[in-house]
Amino acid sequence: MSLNNVFSIAGSGMSAQSIRLNATSSNIANAETVSSSIDETYRARYPVFAHALNEAQQEGSLFDDQPKEVGQGVRVLGVVESQQELEARYDPNHPMADEDGYVFYPNVNVVEQMADMISASRSFQTNVDVLNTAKTMMQKVLTLGQ
């Protein structure tokens, strides 16, 4: 793995965490939206990550007993909706209540979402730190010949 791959891997991590932050902020923004039907109620959304692998392009290297796959970072497979049950509250006076008097709230736990947002933010910051460290290392290499 060259130092240039570090930039690509950290960049993919930053992109993935950005998508995670967007999904989390959308969940928090819609945590108190109500609906009169289950089908129209907002459901929490979560991104699905997978590690991106690529076969090593160097055949016959000294390290033939090593695995041929090299990490290429993170890729987002998609965003899925949570299948947890929605919260039905009995409130017959609510303007969005159905004929039985229930309104439906999203299956978003704001406390969990805030913890997820903090985790995503710190992961993003870690990738920034990796980028800065790699940049510093490359600058030091350039000054070796002086």
Side-chain angles (χ1 to χ4, degrees), residues 37 43 54-55 58 66 69 73 108 114-116 119:
S37 74
R43 295 176 188 275
N54 193 14
E55 290 191 17
Q58 300 172 348
Q66 298 284 325
E69 296 178 336
V108 175
M114 289 300 294
D116 198 34
S119 174

Side-chain angles (χ1 to χ4, degrees), residues 14 17 119-130 132:
M14 290 170 55
Q17 295 305 324
S119 174
S121 176
R122 292 202 175 151
S123 296
F124 187 91
Q125 183 60 44
T126 300
N127 283 304
V128 170
D129 291 343
V130 167
N132 285 333

Side-chain angles (χ1 to χ4, degrees), residues 97-113:
D98 64 2
E99 60 273 358
D100 296 327
Y102 286 96
V103 290
F104 297 94
Y105 285 83
N107 54 2
V108 175
N109 183 334
V110 176
V111 175
E112 287 179 7
Q113 296 299 318

Side-chain angles (χ1 to χ4, degrees), residues 12 15-17 19-20 46-51 74-79:
S12 71
S15 176
Q17 295 305 324
I19 291 171
R20 183 176 169 199
Y46 299 98
V48 178
F49 298 146
H51 60 276
V74 177
R75 66 186 163 112
V76 179
L77 297 178
V79 178

